[in-house]
């Protein structure tokens, strides 16, 4: 029996109400039952119950359902919204042990929707009944949290396995992409993807920066910040909340800076994360420092010393007392050198204490103290307490003020080996800096054993290294050193996928080690000029930073450009890549090996207001996608070197290119190709020859869908 007839027979509604609803139906494409609810003839719950009886379909209460990620991923946002009124709950097994998605619907009469859905997912469907408002609410909650987020999650190919192994507060939680169960599940997914992607990209830091119209996610790789992806503003609050939960921070507090830690296991790799949040004008900025304990450079043999350099350093640290200073700007690897030094002098018979801000790595067998000015644990205060603990070796994270300097230097004269760092540019300049801080010349001259100035240079990527002739002006600038060392050949990285087309992969340190001898001690005590001291140290064999760097360049470990860059800087060695212009005209990347096709597209698309980037194969398509960040990619399938499918697969495997819309444009008219293309993450598919106006319309639609 029909639903309406049942309702009439049971006297739940009147004929008059049916007439009213029919009248309304003329103007609205809605089922009659829905209109009956709208005019108040029947309640939604009542309707669902009767539907269940009439159509013999079970009813479910969505709030009591455990929603399964697999089902959500199976039926994408577009589909769920297109067939408004369906929501996937879970995947069950039918009697033949085949997967069968259980889908909530509010309209059991809508056979067309259910049939279409079967075609879309290519499976049978098991419908259950739920009220329309509940289903809308769930679509809202799970799908509309943000379409862009879903687009992103849908596109990123990942097998991320992330779990928390413990934070400052022990958080007991396990989550992975396979389980979307809680309210913020899509956000948990996003956080997992960001962590995994950042680790794969070898990032040392992740920056989550709210801007006026979007949130920028950036990674620091080999010292440089790189824009990765923009995400919508409304995801910012849940994203930072999720990260705060992971790191045991106060989720409700967003107006004051907070610091926390977490330990994650990402694809079986343990990563320690240091989190710091700070309120900015547009919201809370979150910076995550990723520390891989395995990668920590705490052995002298691993931080970049050349053999002769290592000998000097080792000779200095075996002394029972005195001061070893490591200097350089932020991010020059000073901490690693100190940790490596401590590890080398560590023994059962020695008491080693550190005072640091912050503690980067925990080292076995060493007592580490965290500076905390809020409870008056400053460098100076901690240092005074340490001295009462009978230490043999002390590490003072940094000498910033004269009080700390005074205590540290006195300690180094009274039977303690002291390690510390300072923010000075060259080894010799450090002497003047100490005297400027008010230290007595005799205190400085009699305690210092060694001053190490250091910088980090990027390694040439070994996968794409080739011989290379540096620019004449750089050679000119360093000519005397190059000639002095007799260097003939230089190398650079051409750029490949492994190094993200930067030509560099990883970093190492270069050193300038200033050893104090008797003559220099006298110079310092007499407050001699820096020039005079430098001359004497050179005479005694001081190797300058630039020379240490050039030795590495001569071995093909780094480039001449890199040496010039870091050895030349006055203050800061952090170079930010050419900023990606996020607000410019639309840039379309056309990847096709047929030049006339690209010529034609370039001419027509430029006339329509788009900037065009040309790529002649899949490899170039990837390279230019990473470097130029196009707004959309038109991708041919058959290309030399790397075909379009492979290129799409690679683009979709990384967060920074995962959300760029891709339209396949090919002469192949094969239906399986089309399905394959869409399956690996293309957004649209058009066969050649094509109608330009049609292409243009579809480009506009894709850009619009991505909120561009
Ligand atoms: Zn490379």
């Amino acid at each position: 029996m029909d639903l309406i007839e049942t309702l009439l027979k049971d006297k739940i509604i009147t004929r008059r109400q049916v007439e009213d609803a029919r009248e309304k139906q003329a103007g609205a494409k809605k089922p009659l039952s829905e209109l009956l609810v709208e005019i108040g003839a029947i309640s939604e719950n009542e309707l669902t119950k009767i539907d269940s009886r009439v159509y013999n379909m079970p009813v479910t209460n969505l709030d009591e359902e455990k929603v399964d990620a697999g089902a959500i991923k199976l039926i994408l946002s577009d589909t769920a919204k297109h067939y408004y009124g369906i929501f996937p709950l879970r995947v069950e097994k039918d009697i033949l042990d085949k997967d069968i998605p259980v889908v909530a619907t509010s309209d059991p009469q809508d056979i067309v929707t259910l049939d279409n859905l079967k075609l879309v997912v290519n499976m049978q469907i098991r419908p259950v009944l739920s009220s329309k408002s509940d289903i809308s609410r769930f679509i809202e909650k799970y799908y509309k949290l943000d379409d862009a987020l879903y687009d992103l999650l849908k596109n990123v190919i990942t097998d991320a396995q992330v779990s928390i192994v413990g934070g400052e507060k022990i958080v007991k939680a396990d989550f992975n992409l396979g389980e979307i169960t809680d309210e913020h599940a899509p956000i948990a997914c996003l956080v997992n993807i960001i962590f995994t992607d950042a680790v794969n990209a070898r990032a040392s830091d992740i920056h989550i920066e709210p801007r006026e119209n979007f949130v920028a996610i950036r990674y620091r790789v080999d010292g440089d910040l790189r824009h990765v992806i923009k995400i919508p503003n409304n995801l910012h609050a849940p994203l930072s909340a999720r990260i705060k939960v992971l790191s045991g921070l106060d989720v409700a507090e967003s107006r004051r800076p907070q610091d926390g830690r977490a330990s994650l296991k990402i694809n079986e790799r343990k990563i320690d994360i240091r989190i710091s949040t700070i309120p900015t004008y547009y919201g809370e900025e979150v910076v995550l420092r990723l520390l891989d304990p395995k990668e920590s450079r705490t052995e002298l043999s691993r931080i970049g010393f050349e053999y002769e350099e290592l000998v000097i350093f080792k000779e200095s640290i075996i002394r029972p007392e005195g001061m070893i200073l490591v200097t350089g700007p932020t991010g020059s690897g000073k901490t690693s050198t100190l940790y490596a030094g401590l590890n080398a002098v560590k023994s059962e018979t020695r008491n080693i204490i550190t005072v640091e801000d912050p503690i980067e790595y925990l080292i076995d067998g060493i007592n580490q103290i965290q500076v905390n000015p809020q409870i008056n644990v400053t460098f100076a205060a901690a240092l005074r307490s340490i001295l009462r603990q009978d230490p043999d070796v002390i590490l003072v994270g940094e000498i910033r003020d004269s009080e700390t300097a005074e205590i540290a230097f006195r300690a180094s004269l009274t039977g303690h080996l002291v390690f510390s760092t300072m923010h000075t540019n060259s080894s010799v300049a450090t002497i003047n800096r100490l005297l400027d801080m008010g230290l007595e010349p005799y205190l400085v001259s009699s305690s210092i054993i060694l001053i190490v100035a250091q910088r980090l240079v990027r390694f040439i990527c070994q996968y794409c290294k080739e011989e290379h002739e540096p620019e004449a002006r750089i050679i000119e600038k360093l000519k005397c050193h190059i000639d002095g060392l007799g260097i003939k050949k230089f190398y650079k990285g051409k750029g490949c996928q492994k190094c993200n087309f930067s030509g560099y992969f990883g970093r190492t340190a270069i050193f300038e080690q200033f050893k104090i001898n008797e003559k220099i001690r006298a110079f310092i005590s007499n407050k001699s000029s820096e020039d005079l001291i430098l001359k004497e140290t050179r005479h005694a064999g001081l190797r300058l930073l630039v020379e240490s760097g050039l030795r590495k360049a001569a071995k093909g470990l780094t480039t001449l450009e890199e040496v010039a860059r870091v050895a030349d800087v006055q203050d800061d060695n952090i170079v930010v890549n050419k900023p990606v212009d996020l607000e410019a005209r639309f840039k379309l990347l056309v990847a096709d090996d047929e030049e006339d096709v690209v010529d034609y597209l370039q001419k027509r698309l430029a006339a329509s207001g788009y900037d065009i980037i040309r790529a002649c194969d899949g490899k170039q398509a990837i390279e230019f996608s990473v470097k130029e960040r196009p707004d959309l990619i038109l991708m041919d399938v058959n290309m030399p070197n790397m075909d379009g499918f492979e290129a799409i697969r690679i683009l979709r495997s990384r967060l920074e290119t995962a959300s760029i819309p891709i339209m396949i444009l090919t002469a192949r008219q094969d239906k399986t190709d089309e399905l394959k293309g869409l399956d690996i993450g293309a957004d649209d598919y058009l066969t050649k020859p094509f109608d330009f106006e049609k292409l243009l319309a579809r480009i506009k639609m894709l850009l619009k869908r991505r909120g561009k």
Side-chain angles (χ1 to χ4, degrees):
M1 197 188 290
D2 176 60
L3 173 73
I4 304 295
E5 281 173 42
T6 311
L7 291 173
L8 284 169
K9 195 181 131 256
D10 290 0
K11 299 205 164 45
I12 295 166
I13 53 169
T14 63
R15 289 217 173 269
R16 181 63 210 263
Q17 285 171 321
V18 177
E19 294 305 314
D20 286 352
R22 283 241 156 79
E23 208 168 289
K24 279 190 111 184
Q25 200 179 18
K29 272 192 186 165
K30 284 182 181 174
L32 202 59
S33 54
E34 199 181 320
L35 291 160
L36 284 167
V37 174
E38 271 182 29
I39 62 171
I42 185 171
S43 81
E44 220 183 353
N45 275 338
E46 219 173 339
L47 179 69
T48 308
K49 270 185 222 149
I50 293 164
D51 265 339
S52 164
R53 209 176 72 211
V54 173
Y55 299 100
N56 193 24
M57 212 181 261
V59 179
T60 187
N61 179 353
L62 290 186
D63 287 320
E64 289 165 9
E65 283 282 352
K66 194 176 168 188
V67 177
D68 158 21
I72 298 235
K73 280 200 277 191
L74 199 62
I75 295 165
L76 298 168
S77 164
D78 282 356
T79 317
K81 271 187 294 173
H82 181 63
Y83 303 118
Y84 196 58
I86 59 136
F87 182 79
L89 290 172
R90 60 182 173 274
V91 180
E92 291 180 347
K93 296 281 183 193
D94 68 7
I95 42 170
L96 298 171
D97 207 34
K98 274 190 175 161
D99 283 348
I100 179 163
V102 178
V103 174
T105 173
S106 63
D107 186 1
Q109 275 184 291
D110 189 2
I111 309 294
V112 179
T113 292
L114 293 175
D115 279 348
N116 280 340
L117 193 60
K118 280 180 204 165
L119 287 176
V120 171
V121 298
N122 197 20
M123 284 180 213
Q124 288 298 313
I125 300 273
R126 186 171 288 163
V128 291
L129 274 173
S130 180
S131 69
K132 187 174 167 72
S133 59
D134 275 359
I135 290 176
S136 304
R137 192 159 54 81
F138 267 61
I139 290 177
E140 193 74 34
K141 183 165 144 186
Y142 282 89
Y143 283 122
K144 286 192 189 162
L145 173 68
D146 198 81
D147 285 347
L149 175 58
Y150 264 95
D151 269 345
L152 197 65
L153 297 184
K154 168 188 90 177
N155 281 335
V156 181
I157 303 166
T158 175
D159 51 355
Q161 288 290 330
V162 181
S163 59
I164 309 163
V165 290
E168 217 141 60
K169 286 178 200 165
I170 300 298
V171 189
K172 265 257 176 206
D174 245 319
F175 60 95
N176 64 51
L177 288 175
E179 291 175 273
I180 297 186
T181 45
D182 69 72
E183 196 165 356
H184 303 293
I187 285 296
C189 261
L190 179 66
V191 171
N192 287 2
I193 286 172
I194 292 173
F195 282 149
T196 314
D197 187 63
V199 167
N200 288 341
R202 298 185 298 110
S204 60
D205 304 79
I206 303 170
H207 290 233
I208 299 167
E209 303 165 357
R211 309 265 173 89
E212 190 177 358
N213 300 314
F214 56 88
V215 180
I217 306 230
R218 302 202 286 169
Y219 298 160
R220 189 179 291 283
V221 180
D222 292 339
D224 288 352
L225 264 182
R226 192 169 88 216
H227 171 77
V228 175
I229 192 170
K230 295 197 281 191
I231 59 170
N233 268 338
N234 59 339
L235 290 181
H236 178 250
L239 183 62
S240 53
R242 176 74 196 162
I243 290 170
K244 284 178 181 170
V245 167
L246 294 186
S247 46
L249 298 181
D250 182 355
V251 177
E253 177 63 78
S254 62
R255 286 155 307 165
R256 274 192 303 177
Q258 294 191 72
D259 292 302
R261 274 169 187 273
S263 244
L264 299 182
K265 220 171 177 180
I266 298 172
N267 293 339
E268 291 308 303
R269 222 166 120 195
K270 186 172 173 271
I271 305 281
D272 290 330
I273 299 182
R274 219 169 58 216
I275 295 110
S276 110
T277 71
I278 189 161
T280 69
Y281 184 76
Y282 291 117
E284 198 171 27
E285 181 172 334
V286 182
V287 177
L288 303 116
R289 162 71 52 97
L290 308 180
L291 306 155
D292 183 343
K294 263 201 196 143
E295 285 291 298
S296 66
R297 303 263 176 79
T298 52
E299 287 157 50
L300 283 179
S301 57
R302 291 187 61 201
I303 55 178
F305 280 122
E306 302 286 308
Y307 178 74
E308 318 85 81
E309 295 169 345
L310 185 59
V311 170
I312 297 176
F313 192 78
K314 276 188 168 167
E315 274 172 10
S316 308
I317 61 171
I318 54 167
R319 306 267 288 268
E321 65 170 27
M323 173 68 79
I324 311 268
L325 280 174
V326 181
T327 74
T330 305
S332 53
K334 301 188 292 280
T335 312
S336 294
T337 305
L338 289 183
Y339 280 175
L342 285 191
N343 256 333
V345 301
K346 188 171 83 173
S347 84
E348 281 297 320
T349 58
R350 294 179 111 174
N351 182 14
I352 303 179
I353 307 183
T354 75
V355 43
E356 303 170 67
D357 185 22
I359 296 173
E360 288 220 350
Y361 288 105
L362 294 169
I363 308 177
D364 256 359
I366 290 177
N367 304 306
Q368 291 169 277
I369 300 168
Q370 166 75 52
V371 165
N372 187 350
Q374 280 170 350
I375 51 166
N376 282 326
V377 182
T378 59
F379 274 116
L383 203 45
R384 272 196 211 96
S385 312
I386 284 174
L387 287 169
R388 290 191 287 270
Q389 299 272 320
D390 183 31
D392 299 297
V393 181
I394 304 167
L395 182 149
V396 183
E398 190 185 340
I399 294 179
R400 291 179 206 162
D401 57 278
S402 48
E403 192 188 1
T404 309
E406 183 87 25
I407 308 171
F409 273 82
R410 292 207 179 277
S412 73
L413 275 184
T414 51
H416 308 100
L417 183 65
V418 181
F419 289 89
S420 192
T421 72
M422 284 181 75
H423 256 80
T424 44
N425 291 321
S426 80
S427 56
V428 179
T430 307
I431 301 287
N432 273 336
R433 179 70 193 285
L434 289 166
L435 298 179
D436 287 347
M437 282 177 131
L439 291 191
E440 292 295 331
Y442 86 88
L443 192 57
V444 176
S445 68
S446 46
S447 56
I448 291 185
I449 306 167
L450 181 73
I451 303 176
V452 182
Q454 74 172 75
R455 301 287 187 276
L456 293 178
V457 290
R458 290 178 289 175
F459 274 126
I460 293 174
C461 170
Q462 295 301 308
Y463 300 98
C464 59
K465 181 170 134 179
E466 60 182 21
E467 232 184 281
H468 143 81
E469 181 70 34
E471 270 181 62
R473 87 187 152 81
I474 300 177
I475 293 194
E476 195 50 46
K477 214 160 143 188
L478 300 174
K479 193 165 188 326
C480 61
H481 299 297
I482 293 172
D483 292 348
L485 292 167
I487 306 172
K488 300 276 181 285
K489 273 187 209 162
F490 288 100
Y491 301 85
K492 71 160 195 177
K494 188 169 73 192
C496 67
Q497 267 180 62
K498 296 248 194 223
C499 58
N500 209 36
F501 307 98
S502 64
Y504 294 103
F505 196 110
R507 289 189 294 174
T508 186
I510 57 173
F511 304 92
E512 177 177 297
Q513 299 193 96
F514 173 24
K515 237 169 79 181
I516 313 288
N517 59 26
E518 280 316 311
K519 218 166 175 181
I520 293 164
R521 263 183 234 290
F523 279 148
I524 296 173
S525 296
N526 296 331
K527 290 190 157 185
S528 302
S529 73
E530 203 173 309
D531 278 350
L532 198 63
I533 296 177
L534 183 62
K535 220 168 169 184
E536 176 52 34
T537 50
R538 284 293 271 170
H539 184 69
L542 175 84
R543 183 186 285 178
L544 297 173
L545 264 178
V546 60
E547 291 162 344
S548 173
L550 283 173
R551 273 165 208 269
K552 286 205 159 66
K555 286 186 180 171
L557 294 173
T558 191
T559 61
L560 184 64
E561 288 80 358
E562 193 65 0
V563 175
R565 177 176 77 97
V566 305
D568 208 23
V569 284
Q570 289 303 304
D571 209 84
D572 207 344
N573 76 336
I574 296 160
V575 171
V576 176
N577 273 356
K578 181 183 82 171
V580 179
D581 191 349
L582 298 164
E583 317 283 0
R585 268 181 12 142
F586 287 133
K587 279 191 287 192
L588 308 188
L589 175 78
V590 181
D592 202 317
D593 56 327
E594 287 172 69
E595 276 198 38
D596 44 342
V597 174
V598 187
D599 286 343
Y600 170 77
L601 282 172
Q602 177 154 32
K603 198 173 124 227
R604 298 289 311 259
L605 288 168
S608 306
Y610 296 105
D611 287 337
I612 305 300
I613 306 157
R614 304 170 64 120
C616 66
D617 61 33
K619 277 193 171 163
Q620 269 196 353
I622 294 172
E623 178 172 357
F624 296 150
S625 299
V626 169
K627 285 183 178 163
E628 304 280 344
R629 300 302 164 78
D631 297 285
L632 184 139
I633 301 169
L634 296 172
M635 184 85 80
D636 185 22
V637 174
N638 285 333
M639 290 185 285
N641 296 322
M642 182 191 285
D643 73 14
F645 290 146
E646 178 63 7
I648 294 172
R649 202 188 54 75
I650 292 169
L651 289 170
R652 288 300 184 236
S653 68
R654 311 161 50 149
L655 203 49
E656 57 183 338
T657 50
S659 63
I660 303 174
I662 301 176
M663 188 192 293
I664 294 179
L665 205 55
T666 176
R668 305 215 304 215
Q669 301 234 5
D670 190 340
K671 197 74 188 163
T672 54
D673 268 1
E674 177 171 351
L675 287 176
K676 184 179 172 193
L678 298 179
D679 194 45
I680 56 178
D683 299 270
D684 203 350
Y685 193 98
L686 203 59
T687 46
K688 294 186 239 178
F690 52 83
D691 171 45
F692 182 76
E693 292 307 322
K694 194 170 158 191
L695 173 74
L696 196 61
R698 284 165 78 160
I699 288 175
K700 280 184 183 156
M701 202 177 74
L702 273 181
L703 289 171
K704 201 171 150 203
R705 236 178 63 194
R706 288 296 160 81
K708 302 204 171 194

